[in-house]
Amino acid sequence: MDAKTESTRDAESERKEQDESKDELKDAPTVEIEPTDQAKEQTETTEEEPLLGPQAPALPPRTRTQTPAQSSGPDRGLDARTHYRLKDMQWHDPLTNRTRDVKIVTQNANGPCPLIALTNALQLTGALQIVGSRRTISGDELTGMLADRLFQTDAGSVSETDVTQTLALLPTLAQGLDVDLRFAHVYDFSDSGPMQLFRAFNVDLVHGWVVDAEQEQKVAGVLVGECSNSYEGAVEFILAADEVSCGQVVAHNICDADVRGADAELSEKQLATVRSAIEVNAWLEHTATQLTSCGLRMLGTMLPTSHVCVLFRNNHFSTLYKRGPGELFLLCTDDAVAGDSRIVWESLRDVHQTTSQFLDSQFRLLRVGGDYVQQVEGREDATADAQEAAQIDEDYA
């Protein structure tokens, strides 16, 4: 047999084996590949939870594993520092006496609270609206919406200075906002750029860190006379006295016989200053929640009924709503409850918030357990609530 014939037979044999392999593949059973859980999650569309209606029945318990907020789905991968989840709520606007849908901006990182609180306040008052079916929004988009709203303001209602200051501050809102509150009443802040910003958008900025001029006359007198009645003034006063007393103001271990300066005994005037600084420092520490009983009462009486504003407390900005006399509610914007449309408001009833309760969009009480939220039928007696909150404040005093 020559080499050519041998080569031909080898080629025919190889073709025959390939044909047999193809026939085997045709006859092989079909295998369906099940998609992974992650792939399913990416392709599924998250259904919006129905909003509570006027006749909504009590909601069943929900376990942590069922909470939509714990699985962001399409939001996964977004930068929490620059993108915020939106939460649908029904809002009965007291100005129009109509119910409308509002997309509340939630917060999942420290810093953007002034941007979020201002945006949500404007949405509740109807001055701003986030539309569409979107589930997230970026900080840049919010800043742009606020700038557009500012330019839509009626000419003459906002001064040119306020507009200039506001436009300069808007890009920095996501990083925070420095304000200097004053201790006289809930509207009292040192006039500055941040105050011009809230004034430009016609939103009240309030606080509850108020000294009781009747019950705390001595401290109130020092705050007014030595500290410009402001927080920054109080801090400067304390630090100056602490330096004079070689650190004894902050250390709380002072007595007249032991107070000495770096080289000599203090004068009577210096001693008086140090004693006053100790009292102011003790008052600041005693009211470290930045909300006093006097301030809480003022918020309940000085704010108009059905009023939306922004509350500054504990270096944090929150959207606050006064529904009626003594009825104060904070808008729940924590990202942990962004997926649960039932939790909308948190009551503000005492300075330590030990009696705070969660409510839905229609201000119906919700009972929050370890793993569930359950609607509670009816409302508790307002007088009993006030007495309970007052007793807790007295216990902590």
Side-chain angles (χ1 to χ4, degrees):
M1 181 181 302
D2 56 22
K4 183 177 181 181
T5 303
E6 183 67 25
S7 175
T8 301
R9 288 184 177 181
D10 290 342
E12 290 177 355
S13 177
E14 183 176 354
R15 260 195 318 271
K16 184 176 180 181
E17 290 177 358
Q18 291 176 352
D19 293 340
E20 290 176 353
S21 297
K22 291 180 181 179
D23 293 337
E24 289 177 359
L25 290 175
K26 291 180 181 179
D27 297 334
T30 302
V31 179
E32 295 184 359
I33 300 176
E34 182 71 16
T36 64
D37 293 338
Q38 184 178 2
K40 289 181 178 179
E41 185 179 14
Q42 292 175 343
T43 55
E44 289 177 352
T45 301
T46 304
E47 297 183 357
E48 290 288 335
E49 183 178 330
L51 296 171
L52 294 171
Q55 305 297 326
L59 296 171
R62 170 180 284 181
T63 63
R64 291 184 189 273
T65 56
Q66 295 172 312
T67 304
Q70 296 181 348
S71 177
S72 56
D75 304 331
R76 186 171 294 169
L78 292 178
D79 190 341
R81 296 168 298 180
T82 58
H83 289 76
Y84 318 114
R85 297 181 67 193
L86 298 175
K87 175 178 179 175
D88 293 315
M89 68 166 284
Q90 282 189 325
W91 167 242
H92 185 78
D93 194 331
L95 298 178
T96 63
N97 201 30
R98 294 182 178 180
T99 300
R100 55 186 172 86
D101 293 332
V102 175
K103 286 189 175 296
I104 294 301
V105 184
T106 64
Q107 179 176 345
N108 49 15
N110 292 329
C113 57
L115 175 65
I116 291 175
L118 177 60
T119 300
N120 287 334
L122 289 172
Q123 288 199 95
L124 293 180
T125 60
L128 200 68
Q129 184 181 13
I130 299 176
V131 298
S133 59
R134 60 189 306 165
R135 302 296 299 277
T136 61
I137 193 167
S138 70
D140 289 342
E141 289 176 287
L142 292 179
T143 300
M145 292 176 63
L146 291 174
D148 290 341
R149 173 59 191 170
L150 187 63
F151 287 121
Q152 293 170 8
T153 306
D154 294 336
S157 61
V158 182
S159 69
E160 184 177 346
T161 301
D162 283 357
V163 171
T164 302
Q165 289 278 0
T166 298
L167 290 176
L169 277 175
L170 282 179
T172 69
L173 285 183
Q175 285 75 48
L177 196 63
D178 291 329
V179 298
D180 181 24
L181 60 82
R182 297 162 59 88
F183 301 111
H185 55 77
V186 297
Y187 292 102
D188 200 10
F189 290 86
S190 298
D191 196 17
S192 59
M195 294 309 300
Q196 292 172 321
L197 180 143
F198 284 96
R199 189 164 55 235
F201 287 104
N202 197 28
V203 173
D204 286 330
L205 178 64
V206 299
H207 70 87
W209 204 359
V210 179
V211 64
D212 192 329
E214 294 183 0
Q215 300 296 324
E216 302 167 308
Q217 293 182 9
K218 192 171 184 179
V219 172
V222 176
L223 288 173
V224 172
E226 304 290 346
C227 310
S228 302
N229 208 24
S230 74
Y231 174 74
E232 290 186 2
V235 171
E236 292 175 1
F237 180 66
I238 291 170
L239 292 178
D242 192 59
E243 184 177 356
V244 170
S245 65
C246 298
Q248 296 185 71
V249 173
V250 176
H252 295 284
N253 61 349
I254 188 170
C255 65
D256 288 353
D258 295 334
V259 176
R260 298 180 181 277
D263 300 315
E265 293 185 0
L266 301 180
S267 67
E268 286 300 320
K269 182 177 180 180
Q270 289 173 321
L271 281 173
T273 299
V274 170
R275 294 190 197 104
S276 297
I278 291 172
E279 293 186 11
V280 170
N281 188 50
W283 183 81
L284 292 179
E285 291 189 350
H286 181 69
T287 59
T289 63
Q290 297 185 6
L291 179 65
T292 63
S293 297
C294 179
L296 187 59
R297 289 194 301 270
M298 282 190 177
L299 287 171
T301 57
M302 292 184 68
L303 297 182
T305 298
S306 303
H307 186 61
V308 176
C309 57
V310 172
L311 174 69
F312 177 73
R313 180 190 180 194
N314 283 336
N315 300 318
H316 182 75
F317 296 82
S318 304
T319 304
L320 177 70
Y321 176 58
K322 179 184 173 181
R323 192 183 185 204
E327 290 185 310
L328 301 172
F329 301 96
L330 298 169
L331 187 64
C332 296
T333 58
D334 195 299
D335 183 70
V337 296
D340 196 329
S341 62
R342 297 169 296 181
I343 303 178
V344 177
W345 299 102
E346 180 183 2
S347 60
L348 180 60
R349 306 192 302 173
D350 67 90
V351 299
H352 299 279
Q353 289 188 261
T354 53
T355 61
S356 294
Q357 296 171 313
F358 291 101
L359 303 96
D360 66 11
S361 61
Q362 300 178 38
F363 297 94
R364 294 178 297 190
L365 189 62
L366 300 169
R367 178 171 295 136
V368 181
D371 293 334
Y372 63 91
V373 176
Q374 189 174 22
Q375 190 174 354
V376 178
E377 297 296 336
R379 295 182 58 187
E380 297 182 2
D381 182 73
T383 302
D385 286 350
Q387 291 175 346
E388 180 185 5
Q391 182 61 50
I392 289 177
D393 285 345
E394 183 177 344
D395 293 341
Y396 274 93

